[in-house]
Amino acid sequence: MKNKLITLIASLALARSAFAAPETFDFKDPKSVNTALFHLDAPLESVNGSANGITGSVTFDPDKPGDTKGKIVVSTASLTVPNSMMNGHLHSDKWMDAAKYPELSFDVKELKNLKTAGDVTTADAVGTFACKDVSKELTVPVKLTYLKDKLAQRVPNMKGDLLVIRANFKIKRSEFNINPGQYEDKVSDEIELTLSIAGASPKEFPDMLRR
């Protein structure tokens, strides 16, 4: 009887571990607080804006962070700046052309130069950044924080894990066909992008595993 009990416990442990890794994290945030920030610092003006239309998914294994893959998508229409007139220009066909190009994205292919300490992994994410009609391979420094069983603290009544991604990098609008060469005294060619987002991996086990 004792041996059967040990076997059952071991089987349940193996079943739970099979559910645990790898995990897929959904970045469509039910709280709508996931945000991407952008900053342009030109000689005459500094432009600061944000976007909260963030979706996408990332597959992450806390035991094998190097296998991380996924895609983060930002809705172009959600890009916003405080000045309403500038906001209209931002979405127009001369700048981001939100009607024609509704999304910006970063598709992660691999992580390099990984360093993991506890639940935090820093790395260089290699992937394809797509903006308007241009796609370029970029290497972006990222920090991944794996928060096991913390989903309920962020979204009540929902059990599961969280993956927090933070990144900061720069692109040039001239390289992505964003009105290149125009108004550079007021709109910098260099755009600094900052990402701070959390993805959810809800846990749903069969009834026999909950007992």
Side-chain angles (χ1 to χ4, degrees):
M1 181 67 182
K2 184 178 179 181
N3 288 338
K4 289 183 178 180
L5 181 60
I6 292 173
T7 300
L8 177 61
I9 292 172
S11 298
L12 291 176
L14 287 172
R16 285 179 180 272
S17 65
F19 275 93
E23 298 180 57
T24 298
F25 292 83
D26 184 357
F27 284 84
K28 185 176 182 180
D29 182 17
K31 296 186 70 174
S32 297
V33 297
N34 276 349
T35 305
L37 304 177
F38 57 93
H39 172 67
L40 300 88
D41 192 10
L44 296 182
E45 292 183 359
S46 179
V47 178
N48 296 279
S50 63
N52 61 5
I54 297 174
T55 55
S57 64
V58 171
T59 301
F60 178 82
D61 184 341
D63 296 323
K64 298 178 181 179
D67 293 344
T68 301
K69 288 183 173 57
K71 186 176 184 179
I72 300 299
V73 178
V74 178
S75 165
T76 310
S78 75
L79 298 170
T80 184
V81 293
N83 183 290
S84 59
M85 182 178 293
M86 290 174 63
N87 208 53
H89 293 326
L90 175 64
H91 295 155
S92 74
D93 58 359
K94 293 187 182 301
W95 291 90
M96 295 305 299
D97 201 352
K100 186 175 182 179
Y101 303 105
E103 295 179 348
L104 301 89
S105 65
F106 186 65
D107 193 351
V108 180
K109 304 299 183 185
E110 62 175 325
L111 298 186
K112 293 183 176 180
N113 305 319
L114 282 85
K115 294 181 181 178
T116 299
D119 295 329
V120 177
T121 296
T122 59
D124 293 326
V126 180
T128 302
F129 184 81
C131 175
K132 298 188 73 175
D133 54 353
V134 180
S135 296
K136 292 177 67 70
E137 183 175 292
L138 297 182
T139 299
V140 175
V142 296
K143 181 169 80 169
L144 309 175
T145 304
Y146 173 68
L147 301 173
K148 185 173 178 58
D149 298 325
K150 296 295 186 181
L151 179 56
Q153 295 183 24
R154 192 168 191 270
V155 184
N157 303 317
M158 186 177 289
K159 295 181 180 180
D161 304 334
L162 288 171
L163 181 67
V164 178
I165 299 179
R166 291 184 172 89
N168 182 269
F169 61 103
K170 296 177 180 179
I171 63 170
K172 290 187 176 182
R173 63 184 180 92
S174 57
E175 295 180 350
F176 288 92
N177 198 26
I178 306 173
N179 210 359
Q182 300 298 311
Y183 309 105
E184 291 188 358
D185 55 341
K186 292 185 178 181
V187 184
S188 171
D189 183 44
E190 185 176 79
I191 306 173
E192 182 177 3
L193 302 173
T194 303
L195 195 68
S196 183
I197 57 177
S201 176
K203 297 294 182 188
E204 293 293 339
F205 293 105
D207 289 341
M208 66 171 289
L209 297 180
R210 293 184 217 241
R211 298 190 185 112

